[in-house]
Amino acid sequence: MNDDLCDTEPNPHVPSQRLKAVSRNAVIRNEASCISCGLCESLCPYGVHRRIEGHVHLLPPYEGKCIGPECAKNDFYCVNRCPTRSLSVKPNVTFTSLGDFRWTSEMILSTWKIAETGQPLPLDHPANMGRSGGGFDTLAFKIPAAKGNPDPDRFSTSIELNRRKEGPRLKIGIPVYGGGMSYGSVSLKVMTARAIVAKQWNTLTCTGEGGYPDALVPYSDHVVTQVATGLFGVKEETIQRAPMVEFKYAQGAKPGLGGHLLYEKNTPMVAKMRQAVPYTSLFSPFPFHSVYSVEDHKKHLDWIHSINPRALLSVKVSTPNDVEMVAVGSYYAGANIVHLDGGYGGTGAAPEIAKKNIAQPIEYAISKVHKFLEKEGIRGDVTLIASGGIRNAMDVAKAIALGADGVVIGTAELVAIGCVRCANCESGRGCPRGIATTDPQLEVQNETEVMVRRVSNLYNAWRLQWCDLLNRFGMDDITQLRGRTDLLRRVPEGVAQ
């Protein structure tokens, strides 16, 4: 069965549809020998071959609907039935060159598809796993047989972000919220779209360390403001409007390096937001040079609490070998959320010398911290959030089964919008797709309404997958999945799940 993105009619305003040629297969018609007899059109049940009524010649093949060489087993296979041997089907080189071992071409195209349709992938779909040979790509659920078509309203996917006995209560509707991507690293349109979706789904999105644009104020109940080492754009007024404040002590993709925004992306508007000089490269120091102990850490959290007592306090850290001790220290300093950021996170802006080479993979850190907090008797008081390489609904479920309460995502939302993972986020003016950029000539490619629809569809498809998974395990609440490593199995490298 064909499940390419292009099995829906193309919308030229959607960035991913402008990559209409990115289908799994290339259908080649030799126009010199083709006699336009129309036999292929009458044979193909998928609509690959078409002609306009009244026109003699066939339209170019609609490659996105072709199921490829596997069709050779069918009597209606156009390549074999063509009387002039004018047709051939080959792998599309654009598709095969797209992506990498973690974000495979299959995963990218499937993410585009669910962002277009809002419909979930089957739990055993190959796009649920990459080919990295490690981490989540070697873990799969022991999925029982399907139990009918469950009503999604019967399942709870909400999680409580404050598990301490004291303090404000904050529950989000799905076990996912948007990670910090600052104005400067991504466009204001992207930030606004993410905030609108966060409100729609009763979840959160994070400003990153570039300040709090005024366009996000209408969605302030769903916007996390971040305090990072450079203190770019940190103001009391933005802290006071936030339901949660995130301290970024380290990022898994570049621990020990701090953040950076190169000069071409530091436009006058970005510089104004960050209270900096335009067209200069901006670097966050590492670490907070006022924090060298748990006591110093507590003073940081107390500072925010004094400005906004109703805000939850999240501490984002990378995943060093002693990450469990860091988590315990953050708990005793007063944090509500311990946010572990693994080494596979970050966009194309993170330097290659750091990515995947320093912090440990998130799946190791989750289990390690979860078990240690249980041993210390404080697991019930800590909300454990994971990020750094969470790509799809099944990755979210695996993270929860390993011991997390929920996850933070970033790249997956950008892929839903139309990111092709070209890793040019920080080069020149930024993303040629108009996503990770503040250049007006590039930003114009994306409409806020379209981005909102696509990210919202992503969340809808993910939630339907979680409901299917919970139903098969006889559960009705996503929190029941936490720590259930017994439901996971190891998949040997190179073996399909």
Side-chain angles (χ1 to χ4, degrees):
M1 178 181 178
N2 170 47
D3 61 354
D4 272 340
L5 173 69
C6 300
D7 60 7
T8 56
E9 289 301 314
N11 176 353
H13 299 294
V14 178
S16 58
Q17 290 285 17
R18 292 203 295 274
L19 283 178
K20 181 170 176 265
V22 183
S23 53
R24 290 170 177 78
N25 305 291
V27 182
I28 302 164
R29 181 187 295 134
N30 185 342
E31 299 296 344
S33 59
C34 176
I35 59 175
S36 296
C37 65
L39 179 62
C40 55
E41 181 188 28
S42 62
L43 287 171
C44 181
Y46 306 112
V48 175
H49 306 285
R50 300 170 298 170
R51 83 163 80 230
I52 298 176
E53 189 67 32
H55 286 248
V56 175
H57 296 290
L58 293 163
L59 293 171
Y62 193 176
E63 295 174 331
K65 293 190 174 184
C66 179
I67 66 172
E70 68 179 79
C71 191
K73 63 187 179 184
N74 297 315
D75 291 337
F76 53 76
Y77 185 42
C78 61
V79 174
N80 291 343
R81 297 286 298 274
C82 176
T84 60
R85 300 299 183 191
S86 299
L87 293 170
S88 61
V89 177
K90 299 178 180 178
N92 187 322
V93 293
T94 306
F95 170 73
T96 55
S97 63
L98 186 67
D100 51 49
F101 287 117
R102 286 192 54 78
W103 274 94
T104 63
S105 52
E106 187 83 42
M107 191 180 293
I108 292 173
L109 243 67
S110 293
T111 301
W112 289 347
K113 181 187 177 183
I114 65 175
E116 183 70 17
T117 66
Q119 296 305 305
L121 296 177
L123 298 184
D124 59 353
H125 194 282
N128 288 324
M129 296 182 74
R131 298 194 306 271
S132 67
F136 290 131
D137 292 336
T138 58
L139 291 176
F141 281 100
K142 305 170 185 174
I143 302 176
K147 300 178 180 179
N149 295 316
D151 178 4
D153 293 336
R154 186 167 64 85
F155 301 90
S156 172
T157 54
S158 301
I159 62 168
E160 176 65 60
L161 293 180
N162 182 15
R163 300 169 63 85
R164 290 178 178 267
K165 296 178 178 62
E166 69 282 351
R169 317 320 295 178
L170 180 59
K171 179 178 282 192
I172 56 177
I174 51 177
V176 171
Y177 61 91
M181 287 187 279
S182 63
Y183 180 50
S185 66
V186 296
S187 74
L188 183 57
K189 283 184 177 181
V190 170
M191 294 186 75
T192 305
R194 298 175 78 214
I196 294 171
V197 173
K199 182 176 181 179
Q200 288 179 348
W201 282 89
N202 188 32
T203 186
L204 303 168
T205 190
C206 182
T207 62
E209 62 174 313
Y212 198 125
D214 290 340
L216 303 188
V217 173
Y219 316 102
S220 58
D221 287 345
H222 301 275
V223 176
V224 178
T225 192
Q226 189 180 85
V227 178
T229 56
L231 300 179
F232 292 122
V234 175
K235 299 178 181 179
E236 285 195 6
E237 64 186 79
T238 61
I239 291 171
Q240 288 169 346
R241 69 169 70 115
M244 187 166 90
V245 175
E246 178 180 276
F247 274 95
K248 187 176 81 170
Y249 285 89
Q251 184 175 337
K254 44 189 174 182
L257 297 180
H260 65 283
L261 186 77
L262 300 186
Y263 69 97
E264 289 180 282
K265 295 185 73 176
N266 182 22
T267 63
M269 285 299 295
V270 173
K272 181 180 179 181
M273 189 72 60
R274 297 186 180 222
Q275 300 170 304
V277 177
Y279 299 113
T280 59
S281 294
L282 302 178
F283 297 91
S284 301
F286 181 84
F288 277 106
H289 290 298
S290 56
V291 178
Y292 292 97
S293 66
V294 173
E295 290 75 20
D296 291 339
H297 184 16
K298 186 176 188 306
K299 289 177 183 177
H300 252 195
L301 301 184
D302 288 346
W303 161 47
I304 297 299
H305 184 70
S306 67
I307 296 173
N308 183 0
R310 74 178 184 86
L312 296 185
L313 302 175
S314 174
V315 176
K316 179 179 179 179
V317 297
S318 61
T319 52
N321 288 335
D322 62 347
V323 63
E324 71 274 23
M325 300 305 297
V326 175
V328 169
S330 291
Y331 165 75
Y332 284 111
N336 303 103
I337 297 103
V338 175
H339 176 175
L340 307 176
D341 193 34
Y344 286 99
T347 62
E352 288 299 319
I353 195 172
K355 284 194 295 185
K356 303 176 284 295
N357 293 324
I358 302 176
Q360 62 180 297
I362 190 61
E363 67 277 359
Y364 295 116
I366 295 169
S367 183
K368 189 175 187 180
V369 172
H370 170 68
K371 291 176 181 177
F372 192 78
L373 294 178
E374 284 189 327
K375 182 179 177 182
E376 291 293 301
I378 57 174
R379 182 65 185 92
D381 296 327
V382 178
T383 299
L384 190 61
I385 297 294
S387 65
I390 312 291
R391 303 158 297 180
N392 51 50
M394 297 304 281
D395 280 358
V396 175
K398 291 172 190 176
I400 295 173
L402 288 170
D405 291 293
V407 310
V408 162
I409 63 166
T411 300
E413 290 180 324
L414 302 188
V415 172
I417 291 169
C419 167
V420 297
R421 298 275 297 162
C422 68
N424 289 324
C425 309
E426 198 69 4
S427 301
R429 298 179 298 164
C431 171
R433 306 276 288 160
I435 301 169
T437 184
T438 52
D439 188 296
Q441 292 180 315
L442 296 174
E443 283 185 76
V444 74
Q445 298 178 73
N446 297 295
E447 299 174 5
T448 302
E449 295 79 10
V450 174
M451 291 189 286
V452 167
R453 183 174 69 247
R454 293 184 69 82
V455 178
S456 184
N457 279 345
L458 177 82
Y459 282 169
N460 187 70
W462 283 12
R463 187 179 188 278
L464 292 174
Q465 272 191 272
W466 299 327
C467 292
D468 186 6
L469 187 67
L470 292 175
N471 184 58
R472 295 185 189 219
F473 286 134
M475 302 175 180
D476 56 18
D477 194 310
I478 197 76
T479 61
Q480 295 172 308
L481 189 61
R482 194 190 77 183
R484 292 295 304 272
T485 54
D486 59 301
L487 302 178
L488 295 169
R489 61 186 176 89
R490 181 170 178 79
V491 180
E493 185 176 354
V495 178
Q497 64 170 329

